[in-house]
Amino acid sequence: MTSFQTASFITSASNMDQCPEDTGVEVAFSGRSNAGKSSAINALTRQTRLARTSKTPGRTQLINFFGLRDGERIVDLPGYGYAKVPMSVKDHWQQHLSEYLRTRQSLVGMILLVDIRHPLKEFDETMITWSQDNDLPLHILLTKADKLKRGAQQNQLLGVRKGLPANASVQVFSATRKLGIEELEQVLRDWFRGNQDDGKKEGPWSSLGRV
Ligand SMILES: Nc1nc2c(ncn2[C@@H]2O[C@H](COP(=O)(O)OP(=O)(O)OP(=O)(O)O)[C@@H](O)[C@H]2O)c(=O)[nH]1
Ligand SMILES: [Mg+2]
């Protein structure tokens, strides 16, 4: 049994005040609406309904926190870029999301989920640049790989890998087929282990004036 299976829901936050205390270490799952964030978290934790998934894009509108052990958390961020959401709601998410990214001290890495059939749209590029500028490790999951044959999966993988900055990595993933889960676990373990609370809260952020 891995520590991921013991994940449990902590809380949902619609603003920063509602987030759990900013101690310990957390990794956020980001990506366009419908990219498969909630499904990936369920596959990782071997649970079927921990994170709520939906055929309706924009389902996850809150920041959802899941606890592992030893102050480790996984965060399901609201999906981005769903056109049918009213502008006022979009603005709220965007503000909320950017405030989370800017201020969260316990954030040690970002998983970016991208549909393998439509890699690196504008939002994805923004996240890659942002993580690079902030020296935050980023790992891309090319999701729904079951929709492509193996050769096509590899082509997409190589194409995305080619353009990535040094802080970023990429893998193929399918929640449905349980493909790539161990690779994802390894990345998360490395990030969590490399950032155990050692009293220093500066790290890569210090030069950026993050509050
Ligand atoms: N074929 C296939 N479908 C998937 C996979 N992962 C997710 N889906 C489907 O894609 C849709 C969206 O999945 P979610 O996990 O809810 O996506 P999300 O990124 O959390 O979406 P939001 O919460 O709206 O941002 C659902 O219908 C899932 O069943 C996968 O690996 N393969
Ligand atoms: Mg979701």
PDB file of all heavy atoms in Angstrom, residues 33-34 36-39 51-54 58-61 64 76-79, ligand 2:
ATOM      1  N   SER A  33     -10.139  22.975 -18.092  1.00  0.00           N
ATOM      2  CA  SER A  33     -11.331  22.265 -17.693  1.00  0.00           C
ATOM      3  C   SER A  33     -11.467  20.996 -18.531  1.00  0.00           C
ATOM      4  O   SER A  33     -11.213  21.018 -19.736  1.00  0.00           O
ATOM      5  CB  SER A  33     -12.525  23.178 -17.934  1.00  0.00           C
ATOM      6  OG  SER A  33     -13.623  22.628 -17.297  1.00  0.00           O
ATOM      7  N   ASN A  34     -11.819  19.890 -17.869  1.00  0.00           N
ATOM      8  CA  ASN A  34     -12.055  18.637 -18.572  1.00  0.00           C
ATOM      9  C   ASN A  34     -10.767  17.888 -18.953  1.00  0.00           C
ATOM     10  O   ASN A  34     -10.831  16.864 -19.632  1.00  0.00           O
ATOM     11  CB  ASN A  34     -12.898  18.875 -19.832  1.00  0.00           C
ATOM     12  CG  ASN A  34     -13.785  17.686 -20.155  1.00  0.00           C
ATOM     13  OD1 ASN A  34     -14.379  17.098 -19.244  1.00  0.00           O
ATOM     14  ND2 ASN A  34     -13.886  17.319 -21.415  1.00  0.00           N
ATOM     15  N   GLY A  36      -8.883  16.224 -17.084  1.00  0.00           N
ATOM     16  CA  GLY A  36      -8.794  14.951 -16.372  1.00  0.00           C
ATOM     17  C   GLY A  36      -8.108  15.040 -15.017  1.00  0.00           C
ATOM     18  O   GLY A  36      -7.615  14.033 -14.495  1.00  0.00           O
ATOM     19  N   LYS A  37      -8.113  16.234 -14.408  1.00  0.00           N
ATOM     20  CA  LYS A  37      -7.450  16.435 -13.117  1.00  0.00           C
ATOM     21  C   LYS A  37      -8.054  15.551 -12.016  1.00  0.00           C
ATOM     22  O   LYS A  37      -7.340  14.842 -11.316  1.00  0.00           O
ATOM     23  CB  LYS A  37      -7.559  17.907 -12.680  1.00  0.00           C
ATOM     24  CG  LYS A  37      -6.844  18.866 -13.607  1.00  0.00           C
ATOM     25  CD  LYS A  37      -7.085  20.310 -13.226  1.00  0.00           C
ATOM     26  CE  LYS A  37      -8.512  20.767 -13.482  1.00  0.00           C
ATOM     27  NZ  LYS A  37      -8.933  20.737 -14.893  1.00  0.00           N
ATOM     28  N   SER A  38      -9.374  15.650 -11.882  1.00  0.00           N
ATOM     29  CA  SER A  38     -10.029  14.904 -10.805  1.00  0.00           C
ATOM     30  C   SER A  38      -9.884  13.392 -11.039  1.00  0.00           C
ATOM     31  O   SER A  38      -9.645  12.633 -10.092  1.00  0.00           O
ATOM     32  CB  SER A  38     -11.501  15.300 -10.700  1.00  0.00           C
ATOM     33  OG  SER A  38     -11.612  16.692 -10.440  1.00  0.00           O
ATOM     34  N   SER A  39      -9.990  12.973 -12.292  1.00  0.00           N
ATOM     35  CA  SER A  39      -9.833  11.539 -12.613  1.00  0.00           C
ATOM     36  C   SER A  39      -8.428  11.060 -12.275  1.00  0.00           C
ATOM     37  O   SER A  39      -8.244   9.937 -11.787  1.00  0.00           O
ATOM     38  CB  SER A  39     -10.094  11.292 -14.106  1.00  0.00           C
ATOM     39  OG  SER A  39     -11.392  11.710 -14.455  1.00  0.00           O
ATOM     40  N   ALA A  51     -12.056  12.706  -5.615  1.00  0.00           N
ATOM     41  CA  ALA A  51     -12.250  13.970  -6.335  1.00  0.00           C
ATOM     42  C   ALA A  51     -13.431  13.777  -7.274  1.00  0.00           C
ATOM     43  O   ALA A  51     -13.538  12.741  -7.925  1.00  0.00           O
ATOM     44  CB  ALA A  51     -10.995  14.324  -7.114  1.00  0.00           C
ATOM     45  N   ARG A  52     -14.292  14.743  -7.347  1.00  0.00           N
ATOM     46  CA  ARG A  52     -15.498  14.567  -8.164  1.00  0.00           C
ATOM     47  C   ARG A  52     -15.203  14.858  -9.622  1.00  0.00           C
ATOM     48  O   ARG A  52     -14.665  15.889  -9.979  1.00  0.00           O
ATOM     49  CB  ARG A  52     -16.621  15.457  -7.636  1.00  0.00           C
ATOM     50  CG  ARG A  52     -17.041  15.013  -6.248  1.00  0.00           C
ATOM     51  CD  ARG A  52     -18.120  15.886  -5.684  1.00  0.00           C
ATOM     52  NE  ARG A  52     -19.382  15.725  -6.380  1.00  0.00           N
ATOM     53  CZ  ARG A  52     -20.452  16.472  -6.115  1.00  0.00           C
ATOM     54  NH1 ARG A  52     -20.373  17.427  -5.207  1.00  0.00           N
ATOM     55  NH2 ARG A  52     -21.573  16.277  -6.767  1.00  0.00           N
ATOM     56  N   THR A  53     -15.576  13.903 -10.462  1.00  0.00           N
ATOM     57  CA  THR A  53     -15.339  14.052 -11.901  1.00  0.00           C
ATOM     58  C   THR A  53     -16.678  14.297 -12.583  1.00  0.00           C
ATOM     59  O   THR A  53     -17.735  14.030 -12.013  1.00  0.00           O
ATOM     60  CB  THR A  53     -14.734  12.784 -12.510  1.00  0.00           C
ATOM     61  OG1 THR A  53     -15.663  11.719 -12.358  1.00  0.00           O
ATOM     62  CG2 THR A  53     -13.438  12.421 -11.818  1.00  0.00           C
ATOM     63  N   SER A  54     -16.617  14.793 -13.805  1.00  0.00           N
ATOM     64  CA  SER A  54     -17.867  15.075 -14.488  1.00  0.00           C
ATOM     65  C   SER A  54     -17.676  15.154 -15.980  1.00  0.00           C
ATOM     66  O   SER A  54     -16.608  15.501 -16.468  1.00  0.00           O
ATOM     67  CB  SER A  54     -18.413  16.406 -13.995  1.00  0.00           C
ATOM     68  OG  SER A  54     -19.522  16.771 -14.761  1.00  0.00           O
ATOM     69  N   GLY A  58     -15.905  22.219 -16.095  1.00  0.00           N
ATOM     70  CA  GLY A  58     -16.085  23.273 -15.103  1.00  0.00           C
ATOM     71  C   GLY A  58     -16.657  22.760 -13.803  1.00  0.00           C
ATOM     72  O   GLY A  58     -17.101  23.526 -12.952  1.00  0.00           O
ATOM     73  N   ARG A  59     -16.630  21.453 -13.607  1.00  0.00           N
ATOM     74  CA  ARG A  59     -17.226  20.845 -12.431  1.00  0.00           C
ATOM     75  C   ARG A  59     -16.529  21.290 -11.144  1.00  0.00           C
ATOM     76  O   ARG A  59     -17.166  21.606 -10.163  1.00  0.00           O
ATOM     77  CB  ARG A  59     -17.114  19.308 -12.557  1.00  0.00           C
ATOM     78  CG  ARG A  59     -17.846  18.571 -11.486  1.00  0.00           C
ATOM     79  CD  ARG A  59     -19.315  18.588 -11.813  1.00  0.00           C
ATOM     80  NE  ARG A  59     -20.105  17.795 -10.871  1.00  0.00           N
ATOM     81  CZ  ARG A  59     -20.513  18.241  -9.706  1.00  0.00           C
ATOM     82  NH1 ARG A  59     -20.188  19.428  -9.309  1.00  0.00           N
ATOM     83  NH2 ARG A  59     -21.251  17.478  -8.939  1.00  0.00           N
ATOM     84  N   THR A  60     -15.206  21.280 -11.185  1.00  0.00           N
ATOM     85  CA  THR A  60     -14.459  21.627  -9.987  1.00  0.00           C
ATOM     86  C   THR A  60     -14.273  23.133  -9.934  1.00  0.00           C
ATOM     87  O   THR A  60     -13.461  23.691 -10.643  1.00  0.00           O
ATOM     88  CB  THR A  60     -13.082  20.922  -9.983  1.00  0.00           C
ATOM     89  OG1 THR A  60     -13.266  19.549 -10.304  1.00  0.00           O
ATOM     90  CG2 THR A  60     -12.409  21.032  -8.636  1.00  0.00           C
ATOM     91  N   GLN A  61     -15.066  23.807  -9.124  1.00  0.00           N
ATOM     92  CA  GLN A  61     -14.995  25.265  -9.086  1.00  0.00           C
ATOM     93  C   GLN A  61     -14.295  25.770  -7.839  1.00  0.00           C
ATOM     94  O   GLN A  61     -14.076  26.951  -7.676  1.00  0.00           O
ATOM     95  CB  GLN A  61     -16.396  25.862  -9.171  1.00  0.00           C
ATOM     96  CG  GLN A  61     -17.106  25.413 -10.436  1.00  0.00           C
ATOM     97  CD  GLN A  61     -18.366  26.192 -10.705  1.00  0.00           C
ATOM     98  OE1 GLN A  61     -18.674  27.152 -10.022  1.00  0.00           O
ATOM     99  NE2 GLN A  61     -19.093  25.778 -11.713  1.00  0.00           N
ATOM    100  N   ASN A  64      -9.817  22.101  -4.031  1.00  0.00           N
ATOM    101  CA  ASN A  64     -10.059  20.978  -3.125  1.00  0.00           C
ATOM    102  C   ASN A  64      -8.742  20.420  -2.608  1.00  0.00           C
ATOM    103  O   ASN A  64      -7.836  20.144  -3.395  1.00  0.00           O
ATOM    104  CB  ASN A  64     -10.828  19.868  -3.855  1.00  0.00           C
ATOM    105  CG  ASN A  64     -12.239  20.298  -4.190  1.00  0.00           C
ATOM    106  OD1 ASN A  64     -12.955  20.795  -3.331  1.00  0.00           O
ATOM    107  ND2 ASN A  64     -12.637  20.133  -5.440  1.00  0.00           N
ATOM    108  N   ASP A  76      -6.581  19.828  -5.902  1.00  0.00           N
ATOM    109  CA  ASP A  76      -7.300  19.777  -7.174  1.00  0.00           C
ATOM    110  C   ASP A  76      -7.749  21.210  -7.485  1.00  0.00           C
ATOM    111  O   ASP A  76      -8.658  21.733  -6.843  1.00  0.00           O
ATOM    112  CB  ASP A  76      -8.520  18.846  -7.007  1.00  0.00           C
ATOM    113  CG  ASP A  76      -9.208  18.513  -8.320  1.00  0.00           C
ATOM    114  OD1 ASP A  76      -8.705  18.912  -9.400  1.00  0.00           O
ATOM    115  OD2 ASP A  76     -10.260  17.839  -8.267  1.00  0.00           O
ATOM    116  N   LEU A  77      -7.080  21.832  -8.450  1.00  0.00           N
ATOM    117  CA  LEU A  77      -7.391  23.230  -8.765  1.00  0.00           C
ATOM    118  C   LEU A  77      -8.583  23.313  -9.719  1.00  0.00           C
ATOM    119  O   LEU A  77      -8.830  22.395 -10.492  1.00  0.00           O
ATOM    120  CB  LEU A  77      -6.183  23.905  -9.417  1.00  0.00           C
ATOM    121  CG  LEU A  77      -4.959  24.116  -8.530  1.00  0.00           C
ATOM    122  CD1 LEU A  77      -3.816  24.716  -9.350  1.00  0.00           C
ATOM    123  CD2 LEU A  77      -5.280  25.002  -7.343  1.00  0.00           C
ATOM    124  N   PRO A  78      -9.287  24.423  -9.710  1.00  0.00           N
ATOM    125  CA  PRO A  78     -10.406  24.584 -10.632  1.00  0.00           C
ATOM    126  C   PRO A  78      -9.910  24.545 -12.074  1.00  0.00           C
ATOM    127  O   PRO A  78      -8.850  25.073 -12.373  1.00  0.00           O
ATOM    128  CB  PRO A  78     -10.946  25.980 -10.316  1.00  0.00           C
ATOM    129  CG  PRO A  78     -10.387  26.348  -8.997  1.00  0.00           C
ATOM    130  CD  PRO A  78      -9.098  25.595  -8.844  1.00  0.00           C
ATOM    131  N   GLY A  79     -10.673  23.912 -12.929  1.00  0.00           N
ATOM    132  CA  GLY A  79     -10.313  23.852 -14.346  1.00  0.00           C
ATOM    133  C   GLY A  79     -10.363  25.239 -14.959  1.00  0.00           C
ATOM    134  O   GLY A  79     -11.098  26.109 -14.506  1.00  0.00           O
TER     135      GLY A  79
HETATM  136 MG    MG B   2     -12.252  18.364 -11.716  1.00  0.00          MG
END
